[in-house]
Amino acid sequence: MATKAATAPTPEKALIFVWEGTDRRGKRVKGETRAANTALARADLRRQGITPLKLRKKSASLFNRKKKITSKDIAVFSRQLATMMSSGVPMVQAFDIVGRGHNNPAMQEMVLAIKADVEGGTSLTASLRKFPLYFDDLFCNLVEAGEQAGVLETLLDKIATYKEKTESLKAKIKKALFYPTAVITVAILITAIIMIFVIPQFKDLFSSFGADLPAFTRVVINLSDFVASWWWAILGIVVAVIVTASNVWKRSPKFRETLDRLLLKVPVIGVIMHKAALARFCRTTATMFSAGVPLVEALQSVAGATGSAVYEKAVLAMRDDVATGQSLTLAMRQQGLFPHMVIQMVTIGEESGALDDMLSKVADFYEEEVDNAVDALSSLLEPLIMVVLGTVIGSLVVALYLPIFQLGSVVGGH
């Protein structure tokens, strides 16, 4: 008779408890603690020399909800863990310090769950792979290489540096896109307010003139009537387009590639995106290769880290070429995406056996280039956006005042 295989019990979810009690000196104390249940919370307090008098589960209020775990949280976590472990703090204790000291409850819960796994004998790599949303293949592969080679502290330091560089690059890209997006959004809102609320007031004024309005003014008033009557439909269409495009972008690799290919051709912005993708490619490949990850396996992880569907497809094609015995230099040259300088540096790196050092230097160069390009873009966009805003708002103002000027000239003529 077959027996049912025993399954490992699922770890209970950590809860937050509010407690009041007395310490060893009999002094009244209170605070919060995290535990899977009330019994474990009481036991933990007693271990600290506290006699619990009141213990209750903390209610989840509107202001106490979990914040989303961000990539910046993971970068900070990587640096904290690397620093503590390189200082000789045992891994389990390091996880405990990082977890309990984090101000994001979701991050606390995840770190303490990993700590519990490691305490139970699970490898760090296997524990991290349970959270693929936050620890990708690249992160886990590097940790696995560190565990196998017995140099986890060194690899954690490389991961932390890589994450910090990646976050810095992301911040630069966001900076490049945020300013024009914010200004254009404000301009659209101001224009909509003028169209819906201001122009109808002038329309009532103009109707009392009893004279024909200038053609430009009539066009603006008709446009205002349309926007005022159908603003809800316009807003609905805009939201529907954004939501649809977002869903298609997430689900269709072909759409993503087409959009990225178009974005790479946009003047100035395209140059920044090209350089950012090159910086990510070089930084990620250098980090993986220096950790001893085989090049073919490294390129698999690098593809998803480039941040561009176009570069991702190219890197996956390069992986296939390298797997058949081609050199990385030749595989890169065949894609037609990589500048001559990058290919030459990779050639020198392959010939000298210092590929990771060469790629790190190229990554430093392109990260600096992105920084300079973002500053140049900001300087270029500022006057350009002011001109566009001035033209749009100025045109509306001129359209509203043309009948008044016309009326003034007629009165003056009489």
Side-chain angles (χ1 to χ4, degrees):
M1 180 175 163
T3 56
K4 188 177 178 180
T7 55
T10 305
E12 292 181 81
K13 187 178 176 182
L15 303 171
I16 302 176
F17 291 91
V18 179
W19 57 266
E20 289 183 30
T22 55
D23 61 14
R24 290 187 179 94
R25 294 173 294 178
K27 185 180 175 183
R28 192 94 172 188
V29 287
K30 60 182 179 180
E32 294 181 2
T33 188
R34 295 177 67 86
N37 53 50
T38 307
L40 289 175
R42 287 184 185 278
D44 186 46
L45 289 171
R46 288 196 184 96
R47 275 198 301 272
Q48 298 176 50
I50 296 167
T51 304
L53 302 175
K54 293 181 182 178
L55 184 69
R56 63 178 176 82
K57 182 181 166 185
K58 187 173 183 179
S59 57
S61 66
L62 182 65
F63 302 101
N64 191 44
R65 290 182 180 173
K66 288 183 195 174
K67 293 187 290 182
K68 185 181 176 184
I69 296 174
T70 64
S71 52
K72 187 176 180 181
D73 287 330
I74 301 299
V76 172
F77 160 76
S78 304
R79 175 54 66 197
Q80 288 175 321
L81 193 61
T83 302
M84 276 187 273
M85 288 192 65
S86 62
S87 302
V89 178
M91 188 194 298
V92 171
Q93 190 178 345
F95 273 110
D96 192 63
I97 294 167
V98 173
R100 294 186 188 280
H102 213 287
N103 58 5
N104 182 350
M107 190 70 186
Q108 276 188 10
E109 187 176 307
M110 184 179 73
V111 173
L112 293 176
I114 295 169
K115 173 208 161 192
D117 273 355
V118 173
E119 271 185 316
T122 308
S123 69
L124 179 57
T125 307
S127 302
L128 295 177
R129 287 196 193 278
K130 292 181 180 180
F131 302 94
L133 197 61
Y134 311 115
F135 301 105
D136 54 16
D137 284 340
L138 188 150
F139 196 111
C140 295
N141 286 344
L142 289 173
V143 170
E144 186 174 25
E147 285 188 306
Q148 289 174 354
V151 288
L152 185 57
E153 296 86 352
T154 306
L155 263 295
L156 282 171
D157 185 65
K158 286 183 183 294
I159 292 169
T161 303
Y162 167 75
K163 284 287 181 184
E164 286 162 356
K165 295 276 188 182
T166 305
E167 285 304 303
S168 174
L169 195 60
K170 276 186 190 176
K172 289 168 188 173
I173 301 298
K174 285 178 182 175
K175 179 183 172 185
L177 299 176
F178 175 76
Y179 179 74
T181 304
V183 174
I184 290 168
T185 303
V186 170
I188 291 171
L189 286 174
I190 292 172
T191 305
I193 289 169
I194 292 173
M195 286 283 187
I196 296 170
F197 299 106
V198 177
I199 293 178
Q201 302 297 323
F202 277 83
K203 180 184 174 184
D204 294 338
L205 175 66
F206 295 154
S207 62
S208 64
F209 288 178
D212 290 336
L213 296 174
F216 185 39
T217 304
R218 288 201 305 273
V219 169
V220 170
I221 287 175
N222 290 336
L223 185 60
S224 169
D225 288 341
F226 176 79
V227 172
S229 301
W230 297 97
W231 65 267
W232 52 272
I234 296 169
L235 184 62
I237 291 169
V238 170
V239 171
V241 168
I242 292 171
V243 171
T244 304
S246 177
N247 287 332
V248 173
W249 186 84
K250 288 176 184 175
R251 296 175 185 177
S252 171
K254 187 70 180 173
F255 178 76
R256 266 203 312 275
E257 185 188 343
T258 304
L259 203 61
D260 279 357
R261 203 172 287 280
L262 289 172
L263 190 61
L264 289 171
K265 291 178 181 177
V266 175
V268 187
I269 292 285
V271 173
I272 293 174
M273 301 307 285
H274 263 299
K275 290 178 178 178
L278 287 167
R280 286 194 191 103
F281 166 78
C282 294
R283 178 70 61 198
T284 311
T285 309
T287 304
M288 296 285 285
F289 197 70
S290 66
V293 179
L295 186 57
V296 174
E297 191 179 328
L299 289 174
Q300 175 69 43
S301 299
V302 170
T306 56
S308 164
V310 175
Y311 274 87
E312 182 177 353
K313 185 180 178 182
V315 173
L316 289 174
M318 285 160 50
R319 177 206 62 188
D320 295 339
D321 290 342
V322 171
T324 61
Q326 277 189 23
S327 68
L328 180 60
T329 305
L330 182 57
M332 289 173 69
R333 190 174 280 119
Q334 287 175 346
Q335 296 307 312
L337 272 176
F338 297 91
H340 180 69
M341 186 269 280
V342 178
I343 294 172
Q344 286 302 106
M345 292 289 277
V346 170
T347 304
I348 294 167
E350 284 191 305
E351 289 173 354
S352 64
L355 182 60
D356 52 337
D357 288 338
M358 288 299 172
L359 286 170
S360 292
K361 286 180 172 61
V362 176
D364 289 337
F365 170 77
Y366 276 108
E367 283 163 1
E368 184 68 27
E369 285 284 291
V370 169
D371 203 11
N372 294 336
V374 168
D375 290 339
L377 178 65
S378 300
S379 303
L380 176 69
L381 283 176
E382 202 162 319
L384 189 63
I385 288 172
M386 290 302 122
V387 169
V388 172
L389 284 180
T391 303
V392 172
I393 306 299
S395 298
L396 292 176
V397 171
V398 168
L400 294 177
Y401 278 92
L402 268 178
I404 298 173
F405 295 150
Q406 196 174 63
L407 182 64
S409 63
V410 170
V411 172
H414 288 293

